[in-house]
Amino acid sequence: MSEMQGTGNAAVSRRVGTLSLGSIVFPDSSMMMTKKVHIRTFGCQMNQADTEIISSLLQDEGYRVSGSEDDADLVILNTCAVRENAVGKIMNILDNLKGKKRLRPNLLVGVIGCVPQYYREKLFDMTDGIDFLAGPDTYRQLHLLIENAEQDVRGAHLASVPEETYADIEPSRSGSISAFIPVMRGCNNCCAFCVVPMTRGRERSRSMQTVIDDAVKLAEKGYREITLLGQNVNSYRDDDSGYDFAGLLEHVARAVRGVRIRFTTSHPKDLSKSLVDVIAREKNICNSIHLPVQSGSTRMLGLMNRGHSREEYLEKIAMVRHSVPDVTVSTDLIAGFCGETEADHHFTLSLMEEVRFDFSYMFCYSVRPGTYAAKRMEDDVPDEVKKQRLEEIITLQNRISAERHAYEVGSIVEVLAESESKRSSEMLMGRTPENRVVVFDRGQSSPGDLVKVKIHASTSATLLGTPQ
Ligand code: SAM
Ligand code: SF4
Ligand code: F3S
């Protein structure tokens, strides 16, 4: 998962009202005023996809998107509660917004997503300056919350709506090359450290047909890459047709053969042979899998309640690599979970050496009140030990990533160009099907093109090359 801090932009013009004078209808000038919303998005890709849904809902209410907080009438923070520092970041931003509200008393601030769902109305007491709260299942109520806030009525919609998937809402997508399709929401697992089941509720899946229809529409609009999203994407199940995630992935890949298909995040215990066979068989499904392991110690995996051992994880990796030999594997790792000994930490390092992950998201364990671990276990690894272990994990991952990338030097890879490189407008950046980031000389290529690139250099994060 990514600790992204993007800015999704939904600007809003209020629905134009009318005043009737005889048979002539004049627009009410006070209601013609265009209102703008600026949305900042934190946390995982599910939150990024939710921002696109919220943008669409607010545009239907007449709002227009602003790329900047400075000219917005409404600022919405779509938040993440997964670690304490993610919440700290939101509190700092709210502090800053308090100052702006003093200068612009009509500015409204809404906090939505996982932080309000986690802290509920208590969040109003934790900081000033919030006008409304909404949780991940109540975005259809946002316009009501905004209308009340405009009348100085502070409100919160934090109900859990177990059937809500927003399947009928066409997201207002920010990009034109890659698109997300959320296919399921929520999580039925109970990992001891994790708030997501508390913030996102029980799993629910969209019907397979609505996902296929969306994929076909995106292909017709010219999108070149689709990522199927879920907190636990491989637990997807269409109750009507009985199809599981392998079935969904196969049908989507066949419906849009010219489009690259990705998916995230998969849980190791739900990774089936049939899913791996689909990845191997359908050529437009990208050969990369994100498979969070958290720890290399079977004892820690038990304490975390992950539902598999180190050996079972290694068997899954062997199964994937047997069927999809050039697959890249990425993971999530936590340093210093409750009870972790030096020996457990060394099991994590040795697992990393054994699997040779291409890429990892790496975190210090952060206690989250309300979780099983916070209630029943002792956070007994001192902060400096957590940091030291994380440092060792990061150093090892950087070495492995650099070695895996160096192996690519001299090869020719197919890159979907995404955008100009940050370094220079003469260079483009894109990704291989294995999700490797490639920066290359622009030549005649444009974002959206598939380009054959010869790799001539590498770092731990990037491949550098020249179009062929
Ligand atoms: N559903 C995915 C899975 O189980 O594989 C992961 C989703 S979770 C939102 C993303 C990652 O955040 C987890 O894989 C874990 O590494 C990390 N994470 C979750 N809770 C955490 C905590 N309390 N402290 C540190 N990292 C945490
Ligand atoms: Fe959190 Fe575990 Fe669910 Fe992933 S599977 S979202 S880590 S509870
Ligand atoms: Fe964060 Fe919520 Fe995603 S807690 S990681 S934004 S599901």
Side-chain angles (χ1 to χ4, degrees), residues 36 38 66-73 75 96 100 104 107:
K36 293 182 187 160
H38 177 69
S66 169
S68 153
E69 199 163 274
D70 294 334
D71 67 348
D73 304 280
V75 173
N96 183 275
K100 296 204 167 161
R104 292 158 55 203
L107 176 66

Side-chain angles (χ1 to χ4, degrees), residues 132-150:
F132 61 86
L133 304 175
D137 287 348
T138 61
Y139 296 145
R140 291 179 202 265
Q141 316 301 323
L142 272 176
H143 66 289
L144 299 175
L145 289 165
I146 298 168
E147 277 165 25
N148 284 338
E150 284 170 342

Side-chain angles (χ1 to χ4, degrees), residues 299-300 303 336-341 344 378-381 389:
R299 194 180 76 86
M300 294 311 295
L303 290 173
F337 183 63
C338 309
E340 188 185 73
T341 63
D344 292 314
E378 195 187 341
D379 178 27
D380 55 358
V381 180
R389 289 181 187 167

Side-chain angles (χ1 to χ4, degrees), residues 174-410:
S174 40
S176 57
I177 297 167
S178 296
F180 293 131
I181 304 182
V183 303
M184 58 82 69
R185 297 172 75 85
C187 177
N188 286 358
N189 294 313
C190 300
C191 300
F193 50 79
C194 184
V195 295
V196 171
M198 294 160 74
T199 63
R200 292 276 172 168
R202 305 287 294 168
E203 287 176 7
R204 70 297 301 253
S205 296
R206 289 174 53 176
S207 82
M208 185 160 92
Q209 197 53 52
T210 65
V211 176
I212 294 171
D213 291 347
D214 280 4
V216 170
K217 268 192 240 158
L218 288 168
E220 285 167 1
K221 286 184 181 166
Y223 282 86
R224 308 300 306 269
E225 182 177 85
I226 290 172
T227 303
L228 305 183
L229 286 185
Q231 255 93 25
N232 230 346
V233 76
N234 54 342
S235 307
Y236 172 91
R237 185 160 191 90
D238 179 354
D239 286 333
D240 295 334
S241 64
Y243 277 105
D244 63 4
F245 187 63
L248 175 79
L249 191 61
E250 180 170 47
H251 278 78
V252 170
R254 289 183 176 179
V256 291
R257 285 196 188 277
V259 177
R260 281 185 179 184
I261 306 297
R262 300 188 187 280
F263 56 95
T264 199
T265 295
S266 307
H267 195 297
K269 75 176 167 44
D270 301 318
L271 182 70
S272 63
K273 174 80 171 72
S274 57
L275 175 56
V276 172
D277 288 344
V278 169
I279 302 169
R281 203 163 52 231
E282 301 301 326
K283 293 300 158 227
N284 56 330
I285 299 177
C286 292
N287 292 345
S288 79
I289 186 157
H290 186 62
L291 208 57
V293 66
Q294 319 296 357
S295 170
S297 153
T298 294
R299 194 180 76 86
M300 294 311 295
L301 290 169
L303 290 173
M304 290 173 166
N305 196 27
R306 287 290 289 178
H308 62 83
S309 64
R310 172 192 176 101
E311 290 67 31
E312 284 159 343
Y313 184 86
L314 288 171
E315 279 164 22
K316 297 272 169 137
I317 296 290
M319 173 174 80
V320 181
R321 288 199 166 136
H322 176 77
S323 300
V324 192
D326 54 352
V327 72
T328 50
V329 184
S330 53
T331 200
D332 295 349
L333 293 161
I334 297 179
F337 183 63
C338 309
E340 188 185 73
T341 63
E342 209 48 35
D344 292 314
H345 170 58
H346 279 275
F347 276 124
T348 296
L349 297 175
S350 73
L351 182 97
M352 292 171 72
E353 295 270 19
E354 200 165 339
V355 177
R356 293 180 64 73
F357 295 108
D358 292 270
F359 179 80
S360 300
Y361 294 106
M362 300 158 280
F363 314 103
C364 278
Y365 169 57
S366 164
V367 187
R368 307 312 288 130
T371 57
Y372 182 88
K375 286 193 277 198
R376 304 283 170 81
M377 301 165 90
E378 195 187 341
D379 178 27
D380 55 358
V381 180
D383 276 356
E384 55 280 14
V385 176
K386 282 182 191 170
K387 282 186 195 143
Q388 173 62 32
R389 289 181 187 167
L390 180 64
E391 211 39 58
E392 289 172 27
I393 288 172
I394 291 172
T395 304
L396 176 56
Q397 184 58 59
N398 285 346
R399 172 169 66 74
I400 295 170
S401 296
E403 286 168 3
R404 305 242 337 145
H405 271 174
Y407 191 72
E408 296 298 308
V409 173

